[in-house]
Amino acid sequence: MNAWLATRLSAGLFWSAVALILGYMTIPALVVLMTSVSPSELLEFPPSGFSLRWYERALTYPDFQGAFVNGLIVTAFASSLSLLIGSAFAYLVERYTFGGRVALEAILASPLIVPHFTTGFGFLLLGANLRIGQSYAVVVATHVLLTLPFVTRSVYVSLRNLDPALERAATNLGASPLQVLRRVTLPLLLPGMAGGWLVAAMLSLTEFTASLYVTAQRTQTLPVAMYTYVREYTDPTIAAISALLITFTTILMLIANRYLGLRRILAIDAH
Amino acid sequence: MALRSAAFLAIGAVLLAATPLRAQNTPGQDKLVVDIWGGNFRDGANEAIAKEFTKRTGMQVEFITGGTIDRLTKAKINRDHPESDVTVTTSHVGALYVTEGLFEKLDMAKLPNAKDLFPVAIRSPYHIGLYSYVYTPAFRTDLMPAGYDIKSWKDLWASEVKGKLGLPDFDPSHIIIAAALLAGANAENWKVGIPLLEQLKPSIKAFYQSDATSQDLMKSGETPVQVLLSINAFHQMQQGIPIKIAIPKEGAVVGIDAIGIVHGTKHLDAAYQYLNVALDPEVQAKLCGIYRCGAMNEKAKLDPELAKLPGVFTTPEQWKTQAIVVDDATRAKLLPVWKDWFTENMMQ
Amino acid sequence: MIASARWRAAPARPRPFFLWLFLPSLAAALLFVAALCEVAQYAFRVFTPGSLEAGGFTLENFARLARPIYLSVLADTLLISLATALFTLLLSYPVAYAMVRAKSDFVRSLIMLLAVTPLFTGEIVRTYAWILVLGSNGFVNSVLKAAGLVNAPLTMLYTRFGVIVALVQFSMPVMIIILAAALAHVDRNCERAAANLGAGPAKVFRHVTLPLTLPGIVSGTVVIFAWTMSAFSTPQLVGGGKVLMISNLVYLQGLSSFNFPFAAVLSLLALAVAIGALGSMRPFVSRLERKAAVN
């Protein structure tokens, strides 16, 4: 009886702890939502009323509009290039051995470890010395390198899970290598590629530190514009735009979880 | 599963295809682009200068914003593809733009309003002062003890200020100059003031990185005492925050913000127009009414209430007794040295 | 490089599309190496105050690192990164455990969403949120004041404590993902066997589950450590200039003082520390993996 009670008690404690920790992770988002509808320019809890004026300002502020479009351009190109390069590289690593493979793998995985400001600073200098300044090309290249490890990992895991017998069977039935790739391998890799692309797109859309270095006004992305705003104004407009981003992300995660399976995308599941 | 993923990728492809590539073109093809600080600086310039400019020329103005030095760095990096046509910056930082060859040499014949300027406004053949202000101590009257006042820069070292002072991290020159004066030296021999600066550390609560952070720290009461830009203090007083600006007996550190035309601009004529509008007496009076600062055009008729404000100098007498003036060249030369020293020795 | 690749593996089997797959990856790698080389070469250049153009070659920039401020910022950076990594681990483990082991599908998905979504909202949104939570008139102080627990607001912004609180939340999603992957790979039969042999749940956890997830724990801690070294906006905005990390110095030196050479030195320092941390963990990880295999 005592043992039973002890187990129940510790289970209760454990779940309360988990709930508390999840609360700690979630409270900032809730506070942002609360602040975003506050009518006052000053911080106040609880808000003294309900107002959408900060949303109006966030949506009509020209810097945010421009930065949002810039961000979409950068993300679209960066995540797609990252998908192409990353898938090719995952295939290369999984299927072929060649000299310099280890070096190539290390270099392309290293943006995970190299501090983002080092990467951003490097591309800033590269852009300045190539005399292309802080143009789209530089921003997209930076984002491709930063997201590449995630795409590669996602596609690589899918490749590992792919049954080689299927490809062998197609080859034995007379399919050319291109046909095998197109009809068998690629369709089977699609979930991994979609997941990798999604992660790359989300990371690119929200990347800040490296972007701060490599973007100029005409190429700045939304997080950079938001950072500038925080430094220049003190009103809750940032709360409104943050609330929109949080809502958008949550919905996207719900959809991704429903259709692709988050565990799969993040490679949490066993096997 | 594969079908769903394919659909997902297809959505992505559509999004990619739908991305407006036209936006890749430089914004402001037919707009005049002015780079300036954000917040109330941008808003004020828009209200006073840009609207009048658009009225006269029919051309729209687009503002791009950023910190003083950040904008200089970006201007240097993108010198082959300048992002703006006109730059507004602090006058001594303007001197750095000039040495880097980032400004056009000005043809005064194209600036009819320049003839009415105080001589101090012509900073160089490349940049012109727009208005003057001071960096000086100020405090929240409601958060400091009743009757508290600042009479001298020395008061910042007093125990009442312990853990309450906010200073700018982007330009430490004011406190360094003040410490040098207190130690009996001047800006050139600023090192004499180092022991005093070291003793200031217990007073410092936080460093602000921008005008907004300065305002935020004041508004929230995080640092009820600051060395700050008079314009920011007035801006907040208008919002109802009880702030008192002190003009210490040693004087307040004068600053002048200046305007220049970006070298290589494609809108040279429009840029001259913009400068000339900015120097117009009526525009100057309006701008100074918004910023609460001193005008550079002699003929600008400031509101008498405005002229009474501390730090808004209108007479030669005031310039003599209340202003600490350091020339652009000295400040420009010493600013990097000061910043390095300040980061290494004060910000820890 | 390509030639040697052919020479080594060509006879083994046909390699369709090799170049098609190889060249894009090679191009990306070269680009990255070029960017890092730029940083490296600037680190050895002479800084001319007030100018972006760097002069001839010198070692002076590195000598400057020996000044006390840089040592103390480095120490601070290491301390904050280490504290963040450890607290992140402590808080993430229970969540990861609950996420993998909860019986209800709904609960698992719910935890997953709550735990992972913050990863994708970005650094700025989260940092700003913490300013709202920790400020003098912020959420926490308002709650405490309303509850009558404090008279004067607690100072949490502009302190190391505040920075770490924000950084831990920032890092938890990644740690949870890594730990959950490790937990999902634990063979439940090992735990059942231990339980059958009479071990209580605590004992099973301590002697079976925990050791089996050690590689995940170590790699998660290292990743978060490196990740935190890279944090910029959180120490910048939550630290308010009073908490300096290497990342903030790089920005101050690079974009705000245009001392590119010294910013490059600091960037390299951060890179070296990150690689060093990773390298020092590697033998530890492989020993753990061997041990786990023996068990």
Side-chain angles (χ1 to χ4, degrees):
Chain A
M1 196 60 194
N2 261 346
W4 179 83
L5 196 68
T7 314
R8 299 298 303 180
L9 211 66
S10 57
L13 266 175
F14 171 75
W15 283 103
S16 326
V18 170
L20 269 178
I21 297 169
L22 286 172
Y24 158 71
M25 292 186 76
T26 317
I27 273 182
L30 297 179
V31 171
V32 165
L33 290 173
M34 222 195 299
T35 310
S36 71
V37 296
S38 157
S40 162
E41 197 165 314
L42 294 167
L43 261 191
E44 46 176 28
F45 295 100
S48 57
F50 181 87
S51 154
L52 290 178
R53 63 189 274 217
W54 307 118
Y55 285 87
E56 196 195 330
R57 169 138 170 93
L59 293 175
T60 54
Y61 186 64
D63 278 22
F64 289 161
Q65 292 173 339
F68 181 67
V69 173
N70 289 347
L72 283 186
I73 294 171
V74 170
T75 296
F77 280 91
S79 59
S80 306
L81 276 173
S82 190
L83 176 67
L84 290 177
I85 301 173
S87 305
F89 185 58
Y91 192 89
L92 200 67
V93 168
E94 218 271 326
R95 295 299 166 86
Y96 300 146
T97 51
F98 52 94
R101 195 181 89 160
V102 176
L104 197 59
E105 261 186 282
I107 292 170
L108 289 182
S110 59
L112 283 178
I113 304 143
V114 178
H116 278 202
F117 57 84
T118 307
T119 306
F121 189 48
F123 276 96
L124 168 84
L125 295 173
L126 196 60
N129 284 346
L130 294 176
R131 314 227 105 190
I132 50 174
Q134 296 164 312
S135 60
Y136 275 108
V138 179
V139 187
V140 169
T142 311
H143 280 216
V144 167
L145 263 306
L146 289 178
T147 53
L148 206 50
F150 295 91
V151 178
T152 309
R153 174 178 147 100
S154 180
V155 177
Y156 181 81
V157 169
S158 297
L159 266 172
R160 288 315 291 267
N161 292 336
L162 193 149
D163 186 353
L166 294 170
E167 289 174 320
R168 265 205 309 276
T171 310
N172 291 343
L173 289 170
S176 72
L178 186 63
Q179 279 174 320
V180 174
L181 187 69
R182 248 184 45 210
R183 299 278 179 79
V184 182
T185 318
L186 274 181
L188 290 170
L189 287 185
L190 268 181
M193 289 169 70
W197 176 79
L198 179 68
V199 171
M202 290 306 294
L203 291 177
S204 161
L205 208 56
T206 56
E207 206 291 325
F208 167 68
T209 308
S211 305
L212 182 66
Y213 285 85
V214 294
T215 60
Q217 179 80 20
R218 60 168 164 258
T219 51
Q220 73 175 353
T221 55
L222 194 53
V224 178
M226 288 170 67
Y227 175 74
T228 310
Y229 194 94
V230 174
R231 288 169 56 110
E232 291 174 354
Y233 293 92
T234 53
D235 61 51
T237 306
I238 290 292
I241 198 159
S242 299
L244 290 175
L245 288 175
I246 290 169
T247 314
F248 167 75
T249 313
T250 310
I251 292 173
L252 197 70
M253 286 296 117
L254 280 169
I255 296 175
N257 192 31
R258 173 89 176 70
Y259 289 101
L260 291 170
L262 272 182
R263 298 167 161 271
R264 195 193 176 101
I265 295 175
L266 302 169
I268 289 177
D269 266 342
H271 318 303
Chain B
M1 196 66 209
L3 203 69
R4 280 176 181 167
S5 323
F8 217 84
L9 276 183
I11 295 171
V14 170
L15 277 179
L16 179 60
T19 316
L21 272 178
R22 272 175 293 113
Q24 238 177 327
N25 294 332
T26 322
Q29 283 296 319
D30 39 14
K31 289 181 201 156
L32 188 77
V33 183
V34 176
D35 76 282
I36 191 171
W37 304 273
N40 49 312
F41 282 94
R42 163 211 262 199
D43 297 345
N46 185 41
E47 189 59 37
I49 310 172
K51 280 195 176 157
E52 180 63 23
F53 170 79
T54 305
K55 205 167 89 191
R56 289 191 197 176
T57 62
M59 196 177 186
Q60 295 290 322
V61 175
E62 183 182 324
F63 289 102
I64 64 180
T65 61
T68 315
I69 306 290
D70 299 33
R71 284 191 287 128
L72 170 57
T73 309
K74 293 203 168 189
K76 287 177 172 182
I77 292 167
N78 295 299
R79 64 162 73 232
D80 297 320
H81 314 272
E83 287 205 296
S84 58
D85 305 303
V86 170
T87 293
V88 179
T89 188
T90 310
S91 141
H92 59 274
V93 176
L96 294 172
Y97 277 82
V98 174
T99 51
E100 288 286 325
L102 293 167
F103 279 166
E104 287 282 339
K105 186 160 186 184
L106 295 174
D107 177 359
M108 291 299 166
K110 290 185 181 170
L111 297 171
N113 283 325
K115 66 179 188 317
D116 297 327
L117 299 179
F118 288 117
V120 64
I122 310 294
R123 309 306 296 176
S124 78
Y126 299 83
H127 67 312
I128 295 184
L130 268 187
Y131 50 85
S132 70
Y133 50 82
V134 292
Y135 262 92
T136 197
F139 59 93
R140 283 276 295 265
T141 49
D142 57 332
L143 296 179
M144 295 303 283
Y148 178 79
D149 202 1
I150 295 178
K151 299 245 187 283
S152 159
W153 284 90
K154 187 76 195 139
D155 293 341
L156 297 179
W157 275 257
S159 60
E160 289 107 314
V161 186
K162 191 164 178 238
K164 289 183 175 163
L165 180 64
L167 294 174
D169 77 352
F170 49 86
D171 187 351
S173 49
H174 328 101
I175 194 72
I176 290 179
I177 292 170
L181 286 180
L182 287 176
N186 56 26
E188 297 258 20
N189 307 317
W190 64 281
K191 285 196 170 150
V192 179
I194 286 182
L196 259 184
L197 288 167
E198 302 267 3
Q199 289 161 25
L200 186 63
K201 276 189 202 166
S203 294
I204 302 170
K205 165 105 184 267
F207 297 96
Y208 58 84
Q209 306 110 25
S210 65
D211 298 308
T213 2
S214 161
Q215 294 180 21
D216 210 28
L217 287 171
M218 199 54 140
K219 186 156 73 177
S220 64
E222 217 67 72
T223 63
V225 185
Q226 276 188 18
V227 172
L228 52 38
L229 178 58
S230 53
I231 295 174
N232 284 331
F234 292 130
H235 178 69
Q236 291 207 289
M237 284 154 79
Q238 278 175 303
Q239 293 177 338
I241 298 166
I243 296 173
K244 176 159 186 219
I245 297 181
I247 302 290
K249 61 174 195 256
E250 298 84 6
V253 181
V254 168
I256 290 173
D257 283 350
I259 192 164
I261 297 178
V262 175
H263 182 68
T265 171
K266 291 188 184 71
H267 300 111
L268 191 60
D269 288 334
Y272 270 110
Q273 288 256 25
Y274 188 87
L275 260 65
N276 195 44
V277 169
L279 299 173
D280 182 278
E282 274 174 40
V283 171
Q284 284 259 305
K286 190 170 179 191
L287 188 69
C288 289
I290 298 172
Y291 287 167
R292 321 231 121 200
C293 59
M296 282 291 135
N297 191 315
E298 264 188 80
K299 295 193 174 157
K301 289 201 175 51
L302 294 198
D303 183 339
E305 286 299 309
L306 178 62
K308 270 193 248 159
L309 290 176
V312 177
F313 302 145
T314 45
T315 67
E317 176 64 19
Q318 284 174 315
W319 279 91
K320 214 160 113 193
T321 56
Q322 300 182 3
I324 303 173
V325 185
V326 180
D327 65 291
D328 281 356
T330 307
R331 262 176 103 164
K333 187 183 75 198
L334 285 173
L335 185 62
V337 182
W338 284 343
K339 276 199 72 156
D340 270 355
W341 180 85
F342 200 75
T343 314
E344 288 185 356
N345 295 285
M346 296 295 284
M347 294 180 63
Q348 42 178 322
Chain C
M1 197 174 189
I2 297 171
S4 78
R6 286 238 169 98
W7 171 77
R8 265 197 222 172
R13 52 174 173 160
R15 304 193 300 173
F17 327 117
F18 180 80
L19 276 183
W20 283 98
L21 300 170
F22 179 71
L23 288 180
S25 316
L26 180 68
L30 287 180
L31 208 57
F32 192 64
V33 171
L36 292 186
C37 285
E38 283 282 7
V39 178
Q41 69 109 350
Y42 261 91
F44 293 97
R45 303 287 289 279
V46 174
F47 168 55
T48 326
S51 167
L52 267 194
E53 306 300 326
F57 289 86
T58 175
L59 284 174
E60 224 166 87
N61 303 316
F62 288 91
R64 192 170 160 192
L65 281 180
R67 296 188 197 172
I69 163 92
Y70 300 110
L71 295 179
S72 95
V73 169
L74 178 63
D76 257 17
T77 307
L78 291 176
L79 188 81
I80 291 173
S81 303
L82 202 64
T84 302
L86 292 180
F87 284 117
T88 304
L89 173 66
L90 283 180
L91 295 182
S92 300
Y93 205 99
V95 177
Y97 192 89
M99 190 169 101
V100 173
R101 296 292 172 85
K103 291 194 179 67
S104 141
D105 218 24
F106 172 75
V107 173
R108 281 206 305 265
S109 289
L110 181 72
I111 297 178
M112 175 95 182
L113 272 175
L114 288 178
V116 174
T117 309
L119 175 62
F120 295 106
T121 55
E123 207 174 332
I124 293 296
V125 172
R126 274 178 289 169
T127 301
Y128 174 73
W130 279 109
I131 294 177
L132 298 182
V133 174
L134 298 176
S136 284
N137 296 317
F139 180 75
V140 171
N141 272 320
S142 300
V143 170
L144 290 179
K145 223 185 277 172
L149 289 174
V150 293
N151 295 322
L154 300 178
T155 305
M156 288 174 287
L157 275 186
Y158 320 123
T159 63
R160 284 196 196 94
F161 168 78
V163 172
I164 292 173
V165 165
L167 283 173
V168 167
Q169 191 247 358
F170 185 77
S171 312
M172 280 181 66
V174 174
M175 180 69 101
I176 290 173
I177 290 170
I178 294 173
L179 290 178
L183 277 162
H185 284 84
V186 169
D187 189 349
R188 299 294 293 267
N189 286 327
C190 294
E191 294 178 355
R192 281 189 202 110
N196 287 343
L197 292 171
K203 251 191 167 157
V204 170
F205 178 77
R206 214 174 64 224
H207 294 288
V208 181
T209 320
L210 194 62
L212 284 177
T213 50
L214 257 182
I217 291 175
V218 174
S219 65
T221 312
V222 177
V223 166
I224 297 307
F225 180 84
W227 177 286
T228 308
M229 293 266 316
S230 184
F232 168 75
S233 62
T234 309
Q236 182 80 12
L237 295 174
V238 176
K242 286 293 270 185
V243 182
L244 279 182
M245 291 177 67
I246 296 179
S247 58
N248 308 112
L249 276 185
V250 172
Y251 190 83
L252 272 173
Q253 291 292 340
L255 287 195
S256 304
S257 288
F258 34 85
N259 188 342
F260 279 19
F262 192 59
V265 167
L266 290 168
S267 301
L268 288 185
L269 174 70
L271 178 59
V273 172
I275 291 176
L278 218 67
S280 67
M281 290 294 177
R282 180 143 281 178
F284 188 50
V285 174
S286 50
R287 205 170 68 225
L288 279 173
E289 272 165 356
R290 272 202 308 280
K291 223 169 148 189
V294 174
N295 284 348

